[in-house]
Amino acid sequence: MTPMLEAADTSHISRRTASPTWLVVALACAGQFLVVLDVSVVNVALPSMRTDLALSASGLQWVVNAYAIAFAGFMLLGGRAGDLYGRKRMFLVGLGLFTLASLGGGLAQDGWQLLLARAVQGLGAAVLAPSTLTLLTAAVPEGAARARAIATWTAVGAGGGAAGGLVGGVLVDVLSWRWVLLINVPVGAVVLAGSLRWLTESRAGDGRRLDLPGALLVTAGLGTLAYGISQTEAEGWTAAATLVPLAAGLALLGLFLAVEARTAAPLMPLGLLGRRTVASANAATLVSGSAMFCMWYFMTLYAQNVLGYSPLEAGLALVPSSVAVLVGSKAAPRLMRRAGARTVAVGGTLVAATGFAWQSTLGPDGAYTTAIMVPGILMMLGAGLAATPLASLATSGAAPAEAGLLSGLVNTSRTMGGSLGLAVMSTIAAARTGGDGGAAALTDGYAAAFRTSTGLLLGGAVLMLLWLPRRGAVTRQGR
């Protein structure tokens, strides 16, 4: 077991009577489920949102990306804040902000109000998400029990993304698109009440100040870069409207690295990236996230816009995929013990690539079994198998004081990869469609996006095979 996965410095842990371990794990996983669910739950509601709020095609994309970019951009800050000021405190702050923003989004009357609420939701999620993993690892004893807890956390996170289609479909069909956001309010209130009562405080900081300039620079850089990519859909790759934000985004990220190299208390200590496990696992997570995140987006659009499914039918169509990602996540620790984290990550990625390649053959009159169910199962089974070993490697080899930071970093890699990947895949799909809204043209566009994702996953598998460590303490934690 690595130092990162050990409990936080006990001198900073509350002396109140410890709550049952299962309850702490349940609350931490509930928080993780909410923030990941909201990445995907809006997908089946997008057509209804567009009609009700008169959103453009690019505005529709930003309903997803406003959340994802704020989520990824501020997650490093959220992780460091938890280390310095307390994981329970940041869990409560993040969940409270997330819940209030969900209320605002559900009541939005204009497109800009919805986008603003989604961005604030992402900020709340960024504060909340890193604390979910560090609270869990501080509560569960070292050994097989902790390995199972981490696998559960991974499965719940993956399940949140997978369940979004079904939950969103039910809510849109039975109530309205607004309830994909409003449902977070009562659930968030219950989790808040339980967390206030049963979570204990822990931290591992040394009183250093937060690196707010670094957080603002990385968020602005990533957001500007994603905006530039999204502009290619309407303007092309050589237009000034595309090149200027792309160049500005890269410049801001370069400035972020320069600031981090010179500040006394950096948000992202660059020395961490010199560790093979941290650097390789985060790079692999970024690549796989950029390919896999778009699956839910394009599958729900394909089901509704091409095959004519209702929102509820589209959600139900993805239930087997939701089950597959849970199965893969829960099977990963046992496979890691036998074969090692690298082998499981590579194998899972290749299974997912097979599913994406199959999905790229979809047609305008595809049958459910061959056009959605089987390729969806392969895609998400592979995603579940790959996620646990990559998360374990990415959070290994660090002191307890860096636990929140590394938790934030791996979540940032996954979410930012997904956000940038969605922007690229949407551009590829739109370019192939050529403005034609017919079923055949839309299918060609979606197929092009799935083919591109297949290539990315194959490249990611090669990257993992060459760079991830062959075997380490993390791979043996499931004994």
Side-chain angles (χ1 to χ4, degrees):
M1 183 59 60
T2 63
M4 181 268 160
L5 295 179
E6 295 176 4
D9 183 353
T10 55
S11 65
H12 295 296
I13 299 177
S14 171
R15 297 180 180 275
R16 61 174 290 180
T17 303
S19 300
T21 299
W22 68 266
L23 190 54
V24 176
V25 172
L27 289 169
C29 288
Q32 178 71 358
F33 181 83
L34 275 177
V35 299
V36 178
L37 177 74
D38 248 61
V39 176
S40 63
V41 72
V42 300
N43 285 337
V44 296
L46 291 175
S48 300
M49 290 176 174
R50 182 174 187 176
T51 300
D52 195 19
L53 300 179
L55 291 166
S56 65
S58 62
L60 205 62
Q61 178 185 325
W62 279 93
V63 172
V64 178
N65 267 350
Y67 179 89
I69 290 172
F71 187 15
F74 282 103
M75 204 157 348
L76 293 177
L77 184 67
R80 177 56 83 194
D83 288 338
L84 297 181
Y85 304 130
R87 282 72 180 262
K88 175 181 177 179
R89 179 179 298 171
M90 291 300 103
F91 184 94
L92 295 174
V93 168
L95 183 57
L97 187 60
F98 177 88
T99 303
L100 289 174
S102 297
L103 178 62
L107 299 177
Q109 299 301 309
D110 291 299
W112 69 267
Q113 294 173 349
L114 177 61
L115 297 184
L116 177 61
R118 290 287 289 167
V120 177
Q121 266 191 311
L123 174 59
V127 175
L128 167 62
S131 295
T132 62
L133 181 56
T134 46
L135 282 168
L136 182 149
T137 55
V140 182
E142 181 180 353
R146 188 176 291 171
R148 290 191 296 270
I150 292 173
T152 299
W153 178 87
T154 302
V156 165
L166 176 59
V167 173
V170 171
L171 292 172
V172 172
D173 257 20
V174 175
L175 297 170
S176 79
W177 68 261
R178 297 183 181 278
W179 279 94
V180 302
L181 300 173
L182 292 177
I183 192 64
N184 293 327
V185 178
V187 176
V190 170
V191 178
L192 268 172
S195 301
L196 280 168
R197 172 65 179 84
W198 287 298
L199 289 182
T200 55
E201 187 60 278
S202 71
R203 67 182 189 278
D206 54 9
R208 291 181 296 174
R209 299 178 62 183
L210 285 174
D211 177 21
L212 188 58
L216 294 176
L217 283 171
V218 71
T219 303
L222 293 172
T224 306
L225 193 63
Y227 175 76
I229 294 173
S230 71
Q231 286 294 95
T232 62
E233 181 176 336
E235 305 291 342
W237 285 96
T238 58
T242 299
L243 294 177
V244 170
L246 287 177
L250 292 174
L252 287 168
L253 291 177
L255 185 57
F256 165 73
L257 294 176
V259 168
E260 298 305 280
R262 290 168 174 76
T263 187
L267 177 68
M268 177 67 253
L270 299 183
L272 288 178
L273 298 180
R275 301 175 186 170
R276 182 178 178 182
T277 54
V278 175
S280 60
N282 275 283
T285 299
L286 181 74
V287 173
S288 61
S290 67
M292 293 184 187
F293 181 79
C294 68
M295 179 267 193
W296 304 111
Y297 182 83
F298 286 115
M299 289 287 273
T300 52
L301 290 180
Y302 171 65
Q304 292 185 71
N305 293 342
V306 176
L307 300 183
Y309 288 20
S310 70
L312 177 57
E313 290 170 337
L316 289 171
L318 296 176
V319 167
S321 306
S322 304
V323 174
V325 75
L326 294 173
V327 170
S329 298
K330 295 299 287 183
R334 181 177 299 177
L335 296 174
M336 288 164 61
R337 181 187 67 224
R338 296 176 179 176
R342 185 184 70 156
T343 300
V344 176
V346 171
T349 302
L350 291 176
V351 170
T354 302
F356 274 87
W358 186 332
Q359 191 63 49
S360 70
T361 65
L362 56 86
D365 55 354
Y368 168 69
T369 302
T370 55
I372 292 181
M373 187 181 77
V374 176
I377 288 174
L378 290 174
M379 285 187 275
M380 289 299 101
L381 178 65
L385 286 171
T388 297
L390 289 178
S392 296
L393 287 170
T395 54
S396 66
E402 297 170 330
L405 175 61
L406 286 181
S407 298
L409 181 60
V410 67
N411 277 304
T412 298
S413 298
R414 180 185 299 116
T415 309
M416 201 64 239
S419 181
L420 293 175
L422 176 59
V424 171
M425 300 305 169
S426 296
T427 299
I428 291 172
R432 186 60 180 264
T433 300
D436 186 346
L442 289 174
T443 300
D444 286 344
Y446 301 152
F450 283 113
R451 281 195 297 272
T452 306
S453 292
T454 303
L456 275 175
L457 287 172
L458 292 175
V462 173
L463 174 71
M464 296 176 201
L465 191 63
L466 296 177
W467 198 4
L468 290 177
R470 289 181 178 273
R471 201 167 178 88
V474 190
T475 67
R476 298 190 293 272
Q477 66 186 5
R479 288 180 179 174

